[in-house]
């Protein structure tokens, strides 16, 4: 059974609110770089960057990050696909907003932080997620949360985005 | 993941496996451009390079690839080890294996040695060139270089020029490029091209001179002429070889503007390629060297990460 928790408008409104919070928290948006975790995080990062531009007239640079080579379950998980990261800007002394669709254990974010440090030394890294479903296994908390969805471990959160899935929703099954 | 222990030849590589290696290589190449050119993926794994035939360049490329993935590397070369004391290949391998390694990278002058070693060890074996048999990582790095430049492989016309019969690089290409949809043209003296090869694989054609095919080519790969074969009945002189099978600006004039020129190195300048080719945009020989590290990272990762 699949239940829709957020539709297209909900997602749009949520990203708008998250963008506003990011602007409020970081007075100088000129110092921001939005980096999304491949694959759905980098789509969300681009969308949030666009909203920030509409609100401030400054478009923060965006990047995409593949974390597969930093995973802690290499050799345990059977299928690991390596995709190409793309971070063109020098991240030194910048404020990185790391974006992902769902946070659960926090292990992906741990890997992403390690990966970002290999590009340089940012001033700070902040974390924005569309959905926080709980069940953390590491001491990592997001700075900006779209929606908190309490789940049991056997439930599955599904995030579909127009750019790669052809439709738009957050659901649970 | 590659569902295999070893990489011995491109012949037994499926199209899907080859595409997975190429796709993964794009991700690996990006790592080489970062400030910290190292990822932790193979931390705790050990790779042993075992070169019974000297090749500093290929060995260095493999070692760097393993190190970029955080694996530990040990190197054995024939000159510096007990192999010169008459130890058998089997004993050498078994002894290194007993030190607990996860992969062997093997170069040997005899065909079939990597395959033999694969059969006697649980570690992964990667063929880094065995006699006249195969050199799969060279073919894969060439193919990646072509894909990166041309954005596709399907339908490309790719010539390989030189001593096809004795070349393990040409042999690995022969099995790989047609599988990926490219057309292959072997150019060389009749004595250096396998007989009736075009009857075996419809995507392979044969030409006696570069001039016959140059206008249609997207890629031209030159093989290194083995200088020790000069004055053998196969080649009469270097000058004559260059006139017939070397590339100069005059021949290149008739080629497509964006043709790419490749060579597995080291180049005999003035033999396979005229020195004036060195500074052309079309020359991607150094890109091949960079890509060699990225391709070997992809192969090591795909073979070792699932073990």
């Amino acid at each position: 059974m699949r239940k829709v928790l957020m539709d297209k408008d909900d997602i749009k409104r949520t990203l708008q609110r998250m963008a506003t919070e990011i602007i409020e928290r970081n007075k100088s948006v000129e110092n921001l770089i939005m980096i999304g975790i491949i694959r759905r995080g980098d789509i969300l990062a681009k969308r949030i960057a666009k909203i920030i531009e509409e609100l401030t007239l400054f478009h923060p640079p965006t990047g995409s990050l593949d974390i597969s080579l930093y995973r802690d379950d290499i050799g345990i998980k059977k299928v690991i696909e390596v995709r190409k990261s793309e971070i063109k800007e020098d991240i030194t002394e910048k404020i990185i907003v790391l974006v992902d669709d769902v946070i659960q254990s926090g292990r992906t974010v741990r890997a992403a932080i390690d990966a970002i440090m290999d590009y340089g030394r940012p001033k700070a890294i902040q974390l924005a997620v569309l959905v926080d479903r709980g069940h953390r296994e590491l001491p990592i908390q997001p700075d900006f949360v779209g929606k908190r969805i309490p789940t049991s471990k056997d439930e599955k959160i599904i995030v579909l985005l127009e750019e790669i899935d052809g439709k738009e929703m957050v659901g649970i099954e | 993941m590659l569902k295999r222990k070893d990489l011995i030849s491109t012949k037994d590589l499926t199209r899907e496996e080859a595409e997975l290696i190429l796709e993964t290589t794009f991700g690996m190449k990006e790592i080489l451009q970062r400030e910290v050119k190292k990822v932790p993926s193979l931390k705790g794994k050990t790779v042993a390079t075992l070169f019974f035939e000297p090749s500093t360049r290929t060995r260095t490329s493999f070692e760097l690839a393993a190190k970029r993935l955080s694996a530990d590397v040990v190197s054995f070369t024939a000159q510096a080890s007990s192999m010169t004391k008459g130890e058998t290949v089997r004993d050498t391998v078994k002894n290194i294996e007993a030190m607990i390694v996860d992969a062997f990278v093997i170069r040997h002058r005899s065909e079939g040695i990597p395959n033999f070693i694969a059969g006697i060890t649980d570690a992964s074996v990667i063929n880094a060139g065995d006699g006249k048999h195969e050199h799969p990582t060279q073919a894969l790095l060439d193919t990646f270089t072509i894909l990166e430049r041309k954005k596709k492989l399907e339908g490309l016309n790719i010539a390989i020029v030189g001593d096809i019969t004795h070349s393990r690089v040409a042999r690995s290409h022969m099995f790989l490029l047609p599988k990926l949809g490219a057309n292959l043209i072997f150019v060389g003296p009749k004595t250096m091209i396998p007989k009736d090869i075009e009857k075996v694989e419809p995507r392979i054609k044969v030409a006696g001179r570069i001039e016959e095919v140059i206008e249609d080519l997207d890629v031209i790969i030159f093989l290194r002429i083995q200088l020790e074969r000069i004055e053998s009945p196969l080649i009469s002189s270097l000058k004559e070889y260059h006139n017939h099978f070397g590339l100069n600006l005059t021949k290149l004039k008739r080629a497509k503007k964006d043709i790419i020129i490749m060579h597995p190195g080291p180049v005999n300048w003035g033999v396979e390629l005229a020195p004036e080719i060195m500074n052309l945009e079309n020359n991607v020989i150094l890109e091949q060297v960079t890509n060699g590290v990225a391709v070997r990272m992809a192969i090591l990762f795909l073979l070792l990460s699932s073990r």
Side-chain angles (χ1 to χ4, degrees), chain A residues 97-164:
Chain A
V97 180
L98 195 58
V99 183
D100 206 0
D101 54 350
V102 180
I103 184 168
Q104 183 178 343
S105 66
R107 289 176 191 266
T108 301
V109 176
R110 194 281 307 163
I113 293 170
D114 279 352
I116 284 175
M117 296 299 187
D118 284 348
Y119 286 88
R121 186 179 187 278
K123 185 155 189 273
I125 300 177
Q126 299 168 2
L127 176 62
V129 296
L130 183 61
V131 174
D132 181 352
R133 62 165 297 183
H135 305 292
R136 215 73 84 238
E137 293 164 9
L138 295 175
I140 287 172
Q141 298 306 332
D143 300 88
F144 312 101
V145 179
K147 192 176 175 67
R148 281 176 221 281
I149 305 176
T151 57
S152 71
K153 271 211 154 170
D154 50 358
E155 283 172 316
K156 215 177 146 193
I157 294 286
I158 296 146
V159 176
L160 299 178
L161 299 175
E162 225 136 50
E163 289 89 334
I164 50 173

